[in-house]
Amino acid sequence: GAVVSQHPSWVICKSGTSVKIECRSLDFQATTMFWYRQFPKQSLMLMATSNEGSKATYEQGVEKDKFLINHASLTLSTLTVTSAHPEDSSFYICSATTLQGPGELFFGEGSRLTVL
Amino acid sequence: AQKITQTQPGMFVQEKEAVTLDCTYDTSDQSYGLFWYKQPSSGEMIFLIYQGSYDEQNATEGRYSLNFQKARKSANLVISASQLGDSAMYFCAMRDSGTYKYIFGTGTRLKVLA
């Protein structure tokens, strides 16, 4: 299957700093990537849809200025958590689809963010 | 609005036995896709199986099979010959045919007992 790589796997930062998470499709071009957030023992919550070369589409209730998404190329999307606070601590996971065949989502490894 | 419901927060199964994880969905679309993903404790999401709304036969992938009952809007995952490595969180998901957005259920935590 297609491979999606996410980095970093985990990060600890101080409150008020910004953190960037990268999501790369390694062996296919992903015109669309999705960013999810997952709280402990809960389901995945879609944050935004990232489209290459255009602005991301955010889900209702997700702060655009807090969670900056950039999809500069067909293989890279980034999520920047700006001015992070402890309540932003969570598991963030990106995904992409080839839009071919059944169109299953291929997920990155996820990034566990802890804001102190 | 589309919705996925998984009513089993947790399930236990004896090793080598079969287990069924329930999933019901709600959509007004005629064309849609249903997926099952496995999430081990490490966090990564692993694609298991897919069922298209127009597929007449139930999908199978190795030890995984999908009991698709369209009229009842259910897409239950059957895992045969359970293994200890099957212990994980399992999510049912549905893809919106227009936006390609995926809606996930709340998940079922499966524990395989030795």
Side-chain angles (χ1 to χ4, degrees):
Chain A
V3 178
V4 176
S5 177
Q6 189 172 339
H7 176 81
S9 300
W10 56 274
V11 57
I12 300 173
C13 69
K14 292 182 178 180
S15 186
T17 60
S18 295
V19 173
K20 180 184 284 187
I21 301 169
E22 292 187 348
C23 180
R24 295 180 184 274
S25 57
L26 298 185
D27 53 359
F28 68 101
Q29 294 184 330
T31 55
T32 301
M33 289 185 174
F34 302 93
W35 285 94
Y36 290 88
R37 181 175 182 175
Q38 187 179 30
F39 293 100
K41 299 183 179 181
Q42 293 190 25
S43 187
L44 282 73
M45 180 190 75
L46 179 63
M47 299 175 65
T49 303
S50 170
N51 298 296
E52 186 267 337
S54 63
K55 291 183 179 181
T57 303
Y58 290 82
E59 294 301 301
Q60 189 173 8
V62 178
E63 298 178 60
K64 301 178 182 180
D65 296 331
K66 161 68 75 176
F67 301 101
L68 298 179
I69 292 173
N70 183 275
H71 196 151
S73 76
L74 286 171
T75 59
L76 174 65
S77 177
T78 59
L79 167 67
T80 301
V81 183
T82 62
S83 186
H85 291 283
E87 58 265 31
D88 299 324
S89 298
S90 192
F91 188 65
Y92 295 89
I93 188 165
C94 72
S95 65
T97 175
T98 61
L99 298 181
Q100 296 175 359
E104 68 266 38
L105 281 181
F106 298 97
F107 286 86
E109 302 91 332
S111 300
R112 192 165 302 281
L113 171 63
T114 301
V115 185
L116 302 176
Chain B
Q2 296 182 326
K3 186 178 180 181
I4 291 282
T5 302
Q6 294 180 255
T7 57
Q8 305 156 313
M11 290 280 286
F12 290 95
V13 64
Q14 204 67 36
E15 193 178 11
K16 300 181 184 178
E17 297 289 315
V19 63
T20 298
L21 307 184
D22 294 341
C23 173
T24 58
Y25 60 93
D26 190 20
T27 181
S28 57
D29 292 343
Q30 295 301 311
S31 176
Y32 50 88
L34 297 160
F35 302 81
W36 276 91
Y37 287 85
K38 172 184 178 182
Q39 187 179 40
S41 57
S42 53
E44 78 268 29
M45 295 285 284
I46 303 167
F47 166 71
L48 297 178
I49 196 166
Y50 162 81
Q51 180 82 45
S53 58
Y54 291 117
D55 295 341
E56 295 185 351
Q57 296 209 353
N58 288 339
T60 60
E61 286 287 347
R63 294 186 299 111
Y64 304 109
S65 61
L66 205 152
N67 184 0
F68 181 47
Q69 298 186 43
K70 194 171 182 178
R72 297 181 59 186
K73 293 189 175 180
S74 72
N76 300 338
L77 176 70
V78 180
I79 304 175
S80 62
S82 296
Q83 302 172 355
L84 295 178
D86 293 335
S87 294
M89 195 75 168
Y90 288 81
F91 291 99
C92 180
M94 179 165 58
R95 181 192 68 214
D96 180 283
S97 58
T99 65
Y100 260 83
K101 287 184 181 180
Y102 289 70
I103 307 298
F104 286 84
T106 50
T108 296
R109 184 168 297 281
L110 177 67
K111 176 70 174 177
V112 180
L113 305 174

